[in-house]
Each structure stands twice: as C-alpha cells, then as structure tokens.
Amino acid sequence: MLFKLLEKAKNTEVGEKYEFSTINTYQEFTEKVPIQQYESIEPLIERARKGEQNIFWSTYIKWFAKSSGTTNSKSKFIPVSDEALEDCHLKAGKDMLCLYFNNNPDAQLFVGKGLRLGGSSAVYEDNFSYFGDLSAIIIENLPFWADYSSAPKLETALMSEWESKMKAIIDETIHEDITSLVGVPSWMLVLLNKVIEKTGKNNILEVWPNLEVYFHGGVNFNPYREQFKKLIPKKDFKYYETYNASEGFFAIQDENNSYDLLLMLDYGIFYEFIPMNKFNEENSKAIPLSEVKLNHNYAIVITTNGGLWRYLIGDTVKFTSLTPHRIRITGRTKHFINVFGEELIIENAENALNQACLKTGAEVSEYTVAPIFMIDEKSGGHEWLIEFRKYPECIDLFTELLDNALKAINSDYEAKRYHNMTLAMPKINIAKEGLFYNWLKANGKLGGQHKVPRLSNSRKHLEELLSLELIK
C-alpha cells in the first residue's frame, strides 16, 4: 500500500520535495518524510483550495471536507480525492452493509429505507473547489441505489440550518418504513426524542416497527447505550460501530454484539502508530502495523490516497486482536488529563461513568471534565460538568461510585488519589437540561461530527460552560 501511494505521488510537489522516487524501504520513508499535523500542511491545502493541482496528490482534487473535530472555531479543510471517495469512503459503506448482511442473512434492510443524519453544512463552491461536511460530500456522490434507499430526500439531508433540518427530517420520515439508522449517537438521540415528542408514541418501534440496526460512530457509544435501549426496546436490535473521519474511513465492526472494530487495510491508507507513552507530537517515532502489540495505547498516523503524508489525525486506539487487526478507539491525543500524572483518557472516563450510571440508574446526556489545579494548596482534582437525562438519587453516591470505578480502571489515577495526597475526590457540577446543546449552538457547532470535548488539561471549555449560569 505504501509503495503504491508513493508511486502515484512521486511527481507531485510533495513527492519531489521528499524524493519519493528514491524511497525503497519503510525505513527510508520514515527518514525522509516527517510526521505532520494540520498546521504544518495548511499552506499547501490553501493553495489547493484556490485551484492549484499536483501539490500533494497526482489526480485532480476538487472536494475538501470541512472539519473542526471539536468546538474550536478554526476549521480544517481535508482534501478528498476521487480515489479517497471511491476506494475509501464509498467502498466502506458497501463493506459495512456486506458485513452486516453476512452476519445477519435474514436482514430486511432494503425492504425499507435507511435514515441518514449527516452534517449541518451543505456543499459550497469556492475558487473552483467545493467544501462542506464530509457527510454532505458523500451524499452528493452517492450511487443512485444508495440514494434511492435513503431518507430524507437529498435536499433535506443537505439543509444547512440544523434545527430546521431536524424538523424537516422528522416530517419526512415518520410515515416512511425506516429499517436502519446512520449517524452520530449524540445527535441521533436528539432526533429520536423529537420523533417521540412529535408522534406521541411510547418508543421508536411504534413509529418504525421494522427498524433493525443502528450504524453509529463519531463518539463513544457507551454513555448513550442504555438510552437507545429504552427508545428501541427490541431484544435482537443490532448496533454496528464504524470509525470514520474526514481524513478517511478506518474500521468497521465486523461481528454482531462486538465492541471491536476491524481495521480496514485496503482503502488506500497506510497506517503507522506512535506508542502514547513515547508521544511527542510531530517529533514522535512511529512504528508500522507489523510491530503493534495488544492493549497498548497508540496514536494513529496515516498516509492516504487523498494526499495526506504521515498525518497525525489525533485519535488513539488499542489493539484487541492482531489476527485480524481489530481495534478499540480510546480517545484523542489532545483530549486527556495528565496534570498530576494520572494519565486519564476518554476510555477510562466513559467506562467509569457507565459503571456509575448502571449502579444508580442515572443516564448522562453530555459531560466534560477539567482539572482543578490546587485545592487548599494541598492537592488538585478533577471537576466534572454533567448533564443528566435521568438524575441519580444521590449525587454523593454517584461521585463515590465514579471515583471508585476510575481507581479500579486506572492505576495511575488510583495512586494519585491515595489519601487525597495528589488528587482529591472529584467535584461534580450538574448542568441544566440543554446547557451543552445551547453552548454548541452559540458556537455554531450544531449537528454532524461536532462534539463536546470530553477531557482537557485546560479549564477553557469548562469555564465557558460554567459562565453560562445554566447550572442546576
């Protein structure tokens, strides 16, 4: 895969700069081509957006996926070549369906329609190039059979104003025979609750009785799992996770009732991995897929058929199987808390939150966590802001259960919590209903792949939310 990509791009500006034509081994590739983040390649992308070609990929690029990843105001524009569309994103959609039908031969998916909940941005033209949410770009390029079997109609799916779009989707689909759902869990939950509200039904199966599977991705599903089970009370209902981003489609759940994702190795993407215990952003040393080990935390580096070369996408994963290669997403390279040496990652936080919810019957809509740098000049702590869909009866018990779960999951956290010497008991603030939604709305980040930053070493997002004075 690597040498196919190098051959394809050897006569591009980037290919000549890094002497792709002289690279004969993986070792030479790592020595000549640096690991890069978006900021390093942004000037090249801006030139491409103005119409220049053959900069980092040899075929014509007219599509750019607009992505922020978090609520940061600065947008990224990820190049999407025809090869990336056909051989990665669209191919992945077909593979996802094939894997599902292979595991469920009695599936009736195509008897009805799939409800797609994509981004809130349409596709816009600028300097003879086109940009928009990846979901909008894919919808624009869907084969006729995929569009025919999807709802809502194209015009509705591409509406840019999120709240009007939600209403239009509901009006269009409540009388359709919807058999599958596709979208980000946090936003799909908003849609399904609005469907219940609109129809007056008790659950989603009373609206769409033939619904059989939800294809989800974008955020960890664990905090939302129990809420979906209540909305869709069907014992054999299937949940299938995917791992895709503007930069590429990486992995698909390939077995029923599994939490592991099969890493897809034939989508025009060459993978490298940086052990997180040695992570130093662009100055890190990466290893190839052949050298990864089970249950270690890695940052992903990709080289793609869209012209990204040794690009650090910011996600972290661990391998649960090496034959074949299966992964679980563990978090983001920038979304963790390690102010006191506790090395808390998103996977830890969400597993602990899930355990506390199961033991108290609580349900969480959204949350974010930030450090408290010092309490009484003795120890620091973690401050949580949680918006509950269903409140725990006793917040003190919930806090204790969350803390105990974190200690059981993360030995570094447990060590720092010993006798409150470094870390004090977590502090939990309860947010009023709609706080996170209103914050995202105020930042122009409703819908699509936009998400609340879960963990941060900074208090910036938390302070913004607390300042809204919408705390219960």
Side-chain angles (χ1 to χ4, degrees), residues 402-431:
L402 177 67
D403 182 52
N404 288 338
L406 286 169
K407 287 190 280 191
I409 291 166
N410 183 325
S411 58
D412 291 310
Y413 178 89
E414 181 183 35
K416 301 304 181 289
R417 283 282 293 116
Y418 184 71
H419 290 320
N420 294 340
M421 287 178 65
T422 307
L423 283 177
M425 177 73 83
K427 176 184 178 182
I428 294 183
N429 300 300
I430 302 178

Side-chain angles (χ1 to χ4, degrees), residues 53-73:
Q53 296 295 327
N54 206 45
I55 299 174
F56 37 74
W57 191 244
S58 57
T59 59
Y60 191 86
I61 293 179
K62 69 173 182 178
W63 299 101
F64 293 84
K66 185 180 179 182
S67 167
S68 59
T70 67
T71 54
N72 292 339
S73 58

Side-chain angles (χ1 to χ4, degrees), residues 316-364:
T316 60
V317 300
K318 68 178 179 184
F319 284 84
T320 57
S321 165
L322 299 181
T323 50
H325 288 95
R326 290 196 180 98
I327 60 171
R328 290 189 188 179
I329 304 161
T330 55
R332 301 275 297 167
T333 56
K334 293 183 179 177
H335 293 187
F336 60 88
I337 303 179
N338 194 30
V339 173
F340 309 101
E342 66 273 48
E343 296 190 23
L344 187 72
I345 62 175
I346 292 174
E347 184 187 40
N348 300 158
E350 300 204 322
N351 286 343
L353 202 57
N354 194 44
Q355 288 184 39
C357 284
L358 287 173
K359 289 177 181 177
T360 60
E363 293 176 2
V364 170

Side-chain angles (χ1 to χ4, degrees), residues 442-460:
N443 283 280
K445 301 292 181 182
L446 288 182
Q449 295 290 325
H450 298 304
K451 58 200 78 148
V452 173
R454 298 306 198 195
L455 307 180
S456 177
N457 274 327
S458 152
R459 290 183 58 83
K460 178 179 180 290

Side-chain angles (χ1 to χ4, degrees), residues 39-277:
E39 291 72 20
S40 303
I41 61 172
E42 184 178 23
L44 297 180
I45 289 176
E46 285 306 302
R47 285 171 52 199
R49 287 188 63 214
K50 290 174 181 174
E52 285 191 56
Q53 296 295 327
N54 206 45
I55 299 174
F56 37 74
W57 191 244
S58 57
T59 59
Y60 191 86
I61 293 179
K62 69 173 182 178
W63 299 101
F64 293 84
K66 185 180 179 182
S67 167
S68 59
T70 67
T71 54
N72 292 339
S73 58
K74 184 175 180 179
S75 293
K76 298 177 182 178
F77 293 90
I78 304 299
V80 182
S81 65
D82 287 345
E83 292 92 335
L85 265 175
E86 289 291 335
D87 301 335
C88 184
H89 294 290
L90 296 179
K91 182 177 182 179
K94 288 178 272 191
D95 280 351
M96 179 181 76
L97 291 172
C98 290
L99 286 165
Y100 177 73
F101 274 100
N102 181 69
N103 295 333
N104 303 281
D106 297 328
Q108 298 294 304
L109 223 57
F110 291 126
V111 171
K113 292 190 173 183
L115 192 161
R116 57 191 178 195
L117 183 60
S120 56
S121 173
V123 173
Y124 302 96
E125 183 178 358
D126 183 25
N127 296 312
F128 305 106
S129 65
Y130 299 83
F131 68 93
D133 283 4
L134 177 68
S135 55
I137 292 172
I138 290 174
I139 288 170
E140 284 273 6
N141 289 277
L142 280 176
F144 78 93
W145 59 267
D147 191 45
Y148 178 76
S149 60
S150 300
K153 62 187 178 186
L154 186 66
E155 297 89 327
T156 305
L158 292 175
M159 285 175 67
S160 57
E161 205 286 305
W162 180 251
E163 291 176 326
S164 303
K165 174 177 173 172
M166 292 283 269
K167 182 179 183 304
I169 289 174
I170 293 167
D171 290 342
E172 259 187 60
T173 58
I174 54 175
H175 301 299
E176 291 273 12
D177 181 13
I178 300 297
T179 53
S180 65
L181 305 172
V182 182
V184 176
S186 50
W187 297 116
M188 184 61 74
L189 206 53
V190 172
L191 177 71
L192 297 184
N193 280 305
K194 287 183 181 292
V195 168
I196 295 289
E197 191 181 309
K198 168 87 174 178
T199 59
K201 302 294 186 183
N202 295 310
N203 62 63
I204 290 299
L205 294 176
E206 292 181 6
V207 184
W208 300 314
N210 297 318
L211 190 65
E212 63 176 79
V213 60
Y214 172 31
F215 298 103
H216 62 86
V219 298
N220 189 306
F221 191 55
N222 274 341
Y224 306 101
R225 193 177 299 277
E226 293 305 313
Q227 295 173 64
F228 273 93
K229 284 182 179 178
K230 287 183 179 178
L231 283 169
I232 310 171
K234 187 177 184 180
K235 209 169 186 180
D236 60 348
F237 188 79
K238 303 293 191 300
Y239 296 93
Y240 263 65
E241 185 174 358
T242 63
Y243 174 24
N244 63 311
S246 299
E247 294 87 353
F249 206 119
F250 309 125
I252 304 171
Q253 179 183 328
D254 66 321
E255 298 176 320
N256 287 340
N257 307 313
S258 172
Y259 294 153
D260 300 336
L261 307 180
L262 181 68
L263 190 65
M264 307 305 283
L265 302 177
D266 59 345
Y267 288 178
I269 300 171
F270 175 75
Y271 294 97
E272 298 174 86
F273 301 88
I274 302 170
M276 281 305 289
N277 61 356

